[in-house]
Amino acid sequence: MSSDLRIILKGFQQFLLLSLLVTLPILALAFDLIYMQHGVINLDQGISEYSVTELLQETLLFCTTLSFAYTAYKDPSVRHFSVLITGFFACMLIRELDGLLDNIRHGFWVYPATLVALFSIIHALKAPEKTLSTFARFTQSRHFITLSIGMALLLVFSRIFGMGDLWQGILGPDYERIIKRVVEEGLEVLGYTVIFYAAMGYLNSFLAGQQLTTKTADQQQLHSEHIICTDL
């Protein structure tokens, strides 16, 4: 099989994987709203904290955070940037867990999120040049483009598309608000899914690079040992 064909097949594999991933928000919402509809959605607050949809969001965010934390742990050369982006997604995860943390005190999520943000920013500022150079390389990768699409879906598109004035203009002042809430929640989970896909792609590239580095080092060591044996 030619190298070009392998690259094309790998691209199709990524497409199939992403196609499967984007079905997760639909499946989660369908389960919550069809099979667990009683008490799952609140017209003011959205999907319940104990729904499959919320659990999926938190799981995707946790895996995204963990992937960048792993790169920070394994590679000191990208550690400062990786800690910064790990802190960013960790703060998002803490915010998603606000319903659970409210059992301690209403709005308690602000305190652990602030501590995580301060730690990650301070650590990144210890080596600003390394942080900026690694960040610059990351922005040139296709994973950053995918991550940007996910963030835009989550923070911009879902918010604008969920505006009450927009839905009133489309369906009239007496529209069923549950429709707006379902669409908004679905778009949020889709955004988290795309972000997760980008994080896994970056982690896969990182692992592949480490494997290549290890393989190259082993080959150099074997070559050096061969030269020594030949000299003897």
Side-chain angles (χ1 to χ4, degrees):
M1 185 182 298
S2 67
S3 59
D4 290 338
L5 185 57
R6 282 198 297 269
I7 293 173
I8 292 172
L9 289 176
K10 186 176 180 180
F12 274 110
Q13 289 175 357
Q14 292 177 349
F15 168 74
L16 290 174
L17 175 60
L18 184 57
S19 298
L20 290 172
L21 285 174
V22 296
T23 64
L24 292 178
I26 302 172
L27 294 175
L29 281 168
F31 182 84
D32 285 333
L33 299 173
I34 297 174
Y35 299 103
M36 302 289 291
Q37 54 183 318
H38 299 293
V40 169
I41 189 165
N42 183 296
L43 294 181
D44 295 320
Q45 299 178 356
I47 297 290
S48 167
E49 294 288 338
Y50 305 101
S51 64
V52 173
T53 303
E54 280 292 327
L55 180 61
L56 177 60
Q57 290 182 10
E58 293 158 4
T59 302
L60 291 171
L61 259 180
F62 176 75
C63 292
T64 298
T65 305
L66 199 62
S67 68
F68 286 108
Y70 180 79
T71 61
Y73 170 73
K74 294 294 290 185
D75 191 350
S77 66
V78 301
R79 182 165 296 158
H80 294 84
F81 162 72
S82 296
V83 167
L84 183 64
I85 196 168
T86 298
F88 174 75
F89 285 114
C91 289
M92 291 181 66
L93 177 59
I94 293 170
R95 178 63 182 87
E96 281 296 328
L97 295 172
D98 65 327
L100 180 63
L101 295 173
D102 278 347
N103 293 324
I104 302 174
R105 180 183 175 184
H106 181 69
F108 182 80
W109 70 271
V110 173
Y111 301 105
T114 301
L115 289 175
V116 170
L118 287 174
F119 171 79
S120 57
I121 292 171
I122 291 171
H123 190 275
L125 290 177
K126 288 181 178 179
E129 292 184 359
K130 284 186 177 181
T131 303
L132 289 175
S133 63
T134 309
F135 203 166
R137 289 198 303 271
F138 178 65
T139 57
Q140 294 174 333
S141 70
R142 60 187 176 88
H143 309 300
F144 176 75
I145 297 173
T146 308
L147 183 64
S148 298
I149 293 172
M151 293 296 296
L153 281 172
L154 176 66
L155 301 178
V156 182
F157 188 77
S158 68
R159 298 294 185 269
I160 295 176
F161 205 65
M163 290 174 58
D165 292 341
L166 176 64
W167 286 92
Q168 286 183 15
I170 297 172
L171 301 176
D174 298 325
Y175 73 96
E176 292 287 342
R177 292 179 61 196
I178 191 172
I179 300 174
K180 180 184 86 72
R181 297 302 306 182
V182 169
V183 171
E184 191 175 9
E185 292 288 346
L187 287 172
E188 285 186 7
V189 188
L190 179 61
Y192 285 124
T193 303
V194 176
I195 291 169
F196 166 77
Y197 178 77
M200 292 301 104
Y202 178 72
L203 178 61
N204 185 58
S205 298
F206 172 78
L207 294 175
Q210 279 211 323
Q211 186 177 8
L212 181 61
T213 301
T214 302
K215 183 178 179 181
T216 303
D218 291 341
Q219 289 177 345
Q220 290 177 347
Q221 184 177 358
L222 288 173
H223 181 67
S224 300
E225 292 175 353
H226 176 73
I227 292 175
I228 293 173
C229 291
T230 303
D231 293 340
L232 292 175

